[in-house]
Amino acid sequence: MTDERFFVAREAMSLGEIARRIGAILAEGVDGERTLDGVAPLDAAGPRDLSFLDNPKYANAFETTQAGACIVHPRFAERAPPGVALLLSEQPYRAYAVAAQLFYPEEATGSDTYGEKGSVHPGATVHPTARLGDGVTVEPGAVIGAGVEVGQATVIGANASVSKGCTIGKNCFIGPNTTISHAHVGDRVILHPGVRVGQDGFGFAMGLPRHEKVPQLGRVIIQDDVEIGANSTIDRGAGPDTVIGEGTKIDNLVQIGHNVEIGRGCIVVSLTGISGSAKLGDFVVLAAQVGVAGHLTINSGAQIAARGAVLHDVPAGQQYGGVPARPVAEWRREVVEVRKLGRRKKQTGSPDE
C-alpha cells in the first residue's frame, strides 16, 4: 500500500473511465461502473486497487492476487483468479503507467516539497524584476535572480537557485538544491534535487606557462517534457548552445559536457558521461556507465549497451557495445572467443603458469 503521508490518490475512478483513458478494453462481464481507489503491485493489492501483469515471471503472483482489477495482455486472461476484473491491453505496463498518473498526477509531474503549494515563502529571495506566473510555488531558501521568468504553476524547490536572466516554462518542477544559470527551460520539465544546469563547460587552452580558461559564452536549452535525475550536471555551451531535446529522460548522476546536442525522446541512464560537442539523434538510448567521446555523432535510434565506450560515430538504428563500442553481434562473438581461449589455456596450461 502507498503511504498516505507522501502519496494521496485523487478520487475513486470507475473501471470504465480508467479503461477509456488508458486505451484498454474491459473483459467480458466486467462492470464498468465499479470504482477503484488506487494502484498497487500484485502481491500487495487489495479489492479497491488496480494492478498489472506485464512480465510472465510474475504470472504466479497474478494467479493469487487480491487486486480488484488488473491490466493484462489478453494471453494471460484465462489465468486470472475469480473476482478480478480484467482490463485487456497489448501494452500492460504502459497502460499501468497512464493509470497510475491518473490516480497520482502530482507524482508524475513533480509536487511541492514544503507543503504550501501556490505561494512564495517569506524565506525565499525573489528579485523585484523577476516575473512569476499564476500559481508559482517558491519554497524556503530559494533564490530567484534579476529578470528571471517563471511560468504558471511551476514549483521552485527549497534552496534552489535560478540565476539572473533564466526562463522557466509552465508546470515545471525544479527540485530542492537545484541550480540553474545561463539557461532556458521549457514546459513540464522536471529537474530532480541537486541537478546543476548551465555552469561552465570544461574549456581550457592547455599549455605553458598555464592553462588559459576559455570563457563559456553559450547557453543550455532544455525543451519541453524533459526529465533530469538527481545530481546530474549539464554544462552550458562554449559558443553554440548545449541542447536537450523534447521528451528526453536523463537518469541520476549523468554528466553532459558543453555544446552537446541531444535529440528528442532520448534515454540516458545513470553514470553516463557525454563529452563536449557530441551529438545524439532522436530516440537514442545510452545504458548505464556509457562513455561518449567528444565531437562525434550517435545517429537516431542507436542503442549503446551498458559500459560501452563510444569512440566513433554510430550509424542510425544500430546496437553497439563494448570497449571500444562496436556492433553488438561483433562484440558478443569476441567475448565468446575470449572465453573459449581462456578455457583452452586452463585445460592445456599456459607457458607462464
Side-chain angles (χ1 to χ4, degrees):
M1 295 180 61
T2 55
D3 189 332
E4 293 185 357
R5 292 174 298 178
F6 307 124
F7 310 108
V8 179
R10 55 160 286 178
E11 68 274 5
M13 298 178 63
S14 70
L15 287 174
E17 181 182 2
I18 295 170
R20 177 180 62 81
R21 296 182 67 175
I22 69 174
I25 299 172
L26 294 178
E28 186 176 352
V30 171
D31 179 9
E33 298 301 316
R34 179 179 173 185
T35 60
L36 298 177
D37 295 329
V39 298
L42 288 167
D43 57 357
R48 299 287 299 173
D49 293 321
L50 172 68
S51 192
F52 78 102
L53 172 67
D54 185 64
N55 189 334
K57 178 180 178 180
Y58 300 101
N60 290 338
F62 173 55
E63 292 173 348
T64 59
T65 187
Q66 300 297 308
C70 193
I71 306 168
V72 299
H73 192 280
R75 68 177 180 272
F76 291 109
E78 294 182 356
R79 302 180 66 170
V84 177
L86 298 184
L87 289 75
L88 305 179
S89 171
E90 295 293 325
Q91 296 181 294
Y93 189 46
R94 177 178 288 273
Y96 169 80
V98 177
Q101 291 176 26
L102 297 176
F103 280 107
Y104 302 96
E106 289 189 342
E107 300 313 314
T109 59
S111 181
D112 64 301
T113 64
Y114 183 68
E116 295 182 1
K117 192 170 185 179
S119 64
V120 178
H121 191 274
T125 301
V126 180
H127 195 278
T129 62
R131 294 191 293 172
L132 308 184
D134 294 339
V136 166
T137 301
V138 184
E139 295 187 339
V143 177
I144 297 180
V148 168
E149 299 178 14
V150 181
Q152 67 183 33
T154 282
V155 173
I156 308 295
N159 298 315
S161 172
V162 184
S163 295
K164 61 183 181 181
C166 292
T167 63
I168 300 172
K170 304 174 183 177
N171 299 297
C172 294
F173 173 75
I174 309 302
N177 296 306
T178 292
T179 61
I180 302 174
S181 70
H182 305 83
H184 297 300
V185 178
D187 297 336
R188 300 174 302 279
V189 169
I190 297 175
L191 304 183
H192 288 279
V195 167
R196 309 300 183 198
V197 173
Q199 61 283 338
D200 280 7
F202 192 70
F204 297 89
M206 294 185 294
L208 297 175
R210 64 181 184 179
H211 306 313
E212 294 291 350
K213 184 175 181 65
V214 178
Q216 303 291 287
L217 304 179
R219 309 168 298 176
V220 175
I221 308 297
I222 299 177
Q223 297 179 357
D224 295 346
D225 299 303
V226 168
E227 184 163 351
I228 301 175
N231 295 320
S232 288
T233 58
I234 302 176
D235 296 342
R236 72 176 182 266
D241 296 326
T242 300
V243 179
I244 312 299
E246 178 182 0
T248 283
K249 310 301 182 185
I250 297 172
D251 200 357
N252 302 333
L253 296 168
V254 169
Q255 158 66 10
I256 296 175
H258 59 190
N259 310 337
V260 167
E261 296 180 16
I262 296 179
R264 297 177 299 117
C266 294
I267 297 292
V268 182
V269 185
S270 62
L271 299 174
T272 287
I274 305 177
S275 299
S277 300
K279 293 180 172 56
L280 276 61
D282 298 335
F283 303 102
V284 168
V285 176
L286 304 183
Q289 299 184 346
V290 164
V292 179
H295 303 277
L296 56 74
T297 299
I298 302 177
N299 287 282
S300 294
Q303 299 179 347
I304 311 300
R307 297 187 174 182
V310 183
L311 305 181
H312 304 283
D313 291 353
V314 177
Q318 297 296 302
Q319 294 181 329
Y320 272 44
V323 182
R326 59 267 199 204
V328 162
E330 177 184 331
W331 171 47
R332 288 174 176 167
R333 284 195 301 269
E334 292 175 2
V335 170
V336 170
E337 292 303 319
V338 169
R339 286 177 178 172
K340 289 179 180 178
L341 179 61
R343 293 192 190 104
R344 287 198 296 269
K345 284 190 174 183
K346 186 175 181 180
Q347 292 168 357
T348 61
S350 63
D352 55 350
E353 283 185 340

